Structures are given as C-alpha cells and as structure tokens.
Amino acid sequence: MSADTPTPAARRLACPRCLRPASSCLCALARPTPHRTPVLVLQHPQEQRQAKNSVALLRLSLQHCEVVVGEHFAPAVLNAWLHRPGWDTRLLYPDVPAAPAPHLPAAPAGLPLRLVVLDATWRKSLRLLLAHPALAALPRLALVAPPPTRYRSIRAARRPDQVSTLEATVQALAQLEGPGFHAQPLLDAFDRFVQQVAARRGGAGTEAV
Ligand SMILES: [Zn+2]
C-alpha cells in the first residue's frame, strides 16, 4: 500500500489531532513551545503527504502556528492569509538572485512580527514565490547563522542543501525572540521523530528527511 493513497480503513484510523495514521501518530512527540511570533506555514501539497515531513510536529508544538496547504493561491485569498492589520509580516526566505528581496520602506516601529514559512523543496518554494507576487513582495527574514553543531548528525542524514522546515522555523524564532525562546525540547523531539521515520523505513541514517 502506498503511503500516498491510504485505504478508507487507514483513513478511519487517522489520529484526530495530528491527522496521521495511528501507526505514525506524532502527538506523543509534541512539545508545547511558547513563542510570541505567530507562524503561517504555506505547505506544498506534496509535503503534506510525506511521512518524513516536519511541519505536523511543528504545528502540534508551537502555540501560534497555522498551516495552509496549496500550490496555486488566488491573490485575494493569499493576501488575506499574508496580511493582518497591526502586524509586520516577514517571509523566511533568503535574498537570492533568482528571487531578490524587495526594497521596502521599514514597517512602522513597534509592530509585532509574523513569520511566513514555505514548506516545499527548494525548487518548489522558489516556484511558489515567483508565481505569487504578494509573497515575493513581503519583506524577508534570512537566517543569519548556520544551525548549531549539535544537529549535524541529523542533518547528515539529509541532502546537504536541505534543512527541515521545523529546524529553519525554530532557528528563525530563536533569531527573532532571543534567549527567551526555548526550543531545545522540540528539537530533541524532532531528533526522535527523524530516528522513528528512519527506523520505520528500515534505512536508519540513509533516509533523506
Ligand atoms: Zn496524533
């Protein structure tokens, strides 16, 4: 049975909270993680179906995290998701030649930040950005430092150019919120999640996550 096409019986067995099959329920791994910057994840439909995807654990753990699944968004719908009055919304994305960051006047000082994160492969996230001018027009937040060394063992299990959405989001929140943001329990839980996925696939240490 393919993981992409669960039988009706398997769907019935899905956990009502994390919406995953009971055999891979993530709820026990969730670590409530206080933070003040709301996170909106735009998730490519292909990612939603991946057992190895990290966003379900992120959504279960962050107190203010919305996930919208889609590939093509109508401008009005996307604008409603992206812009909330009284908030300064930033897109977690580097300033790259293929999609340069916009030059914008600074937002009024004192506005609280919201973070928009794209959950897709590098190629698909770039396509998403280029196809949606409202996304490309958002001020960017780029990660300023590489992930801490202690995660190298997990990262080594992936393609070198790929950092999970969970790790990137956690790093961005740490960057924005400083030492008051305590992500270690969530990162430890993510470590266990990576090990569980690898163990289920019988390819521990070699699976791209
Ligand atoms: Zn669950």
Side-chain angles (χ1 to χ4, degrees):
M1 182 184 74
S2 160
D4 290 351
T5 53
T7 62
R11 269 196 212 107
R12 276 199 299 277
L13 288 172
C15 168
R17 186 163 169 238
C18 68
L19 307 178
R20 294 166 67 99
S23 58
S24 59
C25 167
L26 284 176
C27 294
L29 282 177
R31 293 291 175 273
T33 305
H35 61 111
R36 62 173 185 267
T37 310
V39 174
L40 169 67
V41 179
L42 299 183
Q43 183 174 54
H44 191 281
Q46 238 169 35
E47 294 296 324
Q48 187 188 28
R49 295 191 289 268
Q50 298 274 350
K52 65 192 179 187
N53 185 271
S54 63
V55 166
L57 181 59
L58 186 72
R59 179 180 66 82
L60 288 171
S61 298
L62 292 184
Q63 293 180 327
H64 318 288
C65 181
E66 295 171 293
V67 179
V68 181
V69 180
E71 189 177 2
H72 307 287
F73 297 95
V77 173
L78 185 61
N79 264 314
W81 279 110
L82 296 183
H83 298 288
R84 302 274 159 87
W87 293 85
D88 178 2
T89 303
R90 307 280 175 94
L91 177 67
L92 178 60
Y93 206 87
D95 182 6
V96 291
H103 294 286
L104 298 165
L111 285 185
L113 290 176
R114 282 176 78 226
L115 191 62
V116 174
V117 180
L118 306 182
D119 181 42
T121 62
W122 171 249
R123 191 185 296 259
K124 290 199 168 75
S125 67
L126 179 62
R127 204 177 297 157
L128 197 65
L129 190 57
L130 296 176
H132 296 89
L135 266 181
L138 285 178
R140 305 270 171 92
L141 177 82
L143 298 177
V144 293
T149 313
R150 70 167 69 93
Y151 308 122
R152 200 168 284 157
S153 62
I154 307 173
R155 281 158 45 79
R158 289 195 284 279
R159 295 198 303 273
D161 63 339
Q162 192 180 20
V163 175
S164 72
T165 299
L166 182 146
E167 288 169 295
T169 305
V170 161
Q171 200 186 336
L173 289 174
Q175 204 167 300
L176 292 172
E177 303 192 3
F181 176 65
H182 300 291
Q184 196 53 54
L186 174 54
L187 289 169
D188 290 343
F190 178 61
D191 197 352
R192 287 193 292 281
F193 167 70
V194 170
Q195 289 163 5
Q196 286 177 12
V197 171
R200 270 204 304 276
R201 298 193 167 192
T206 57
E207 180 67 34
V209 172

